[in-house]
Amino acid sequence: MIGGSTIIGDRAWIAPSVSLMNIIEIGADSTIGLGNVVPKSIPANEVWVRFPARPIKEFVKIQNILKEL
């Protein structure tokens, strides 16, 4: 689902079942993982995953912290 006035950059890869909110920009060469809800713009050359969408580096950091609990 693509909200109104959303701009998608060149070579951006958007997986199935992704929801892009209104008035955001998806940077060139970025990747958005399966089933994400993207509430804000994504810079170029980044990989975002999960719900709500966040940079993959942040997601991995959170998962590592949770493993240690």
Side-chain angles (χ1 to χ4, degrees):
M1 181 173 74
I2 301 173
S5 300
T6 297
I7 298 169
I8 300 173
D10 294 336
R11 298 170 306 281
W13 187 80
I14 301 170
S17 300
V18 170
S19 296
L20 304 174
M21 304 311 266
N22 293 330
I23 314 170
I24 61 172
E25 185 172 345
I26 307 303
D29 299 308
S30 59
T31 301
I32 303 171
L34 181 70
N36 285 325
V37 175
V38 183
K40 59 183 181 179
S41 294
I42 295 178
N45 301 308
E46 289 202 7
V47 177
W48 283 44
V49 296
R50 303 300 288 167
F51 174 80
R54 62 184 55 149
I56 196 165
K57 290 178 183 178
E58 182 180 324
F59 170 73
V60 170
K61 182 179 177 180
I62 291 168
Q63 292 303 309
N64 288 333
I65 291 170
L66 290 174
K67 282 183 195 176
E68 294 183 18
L69 292 177

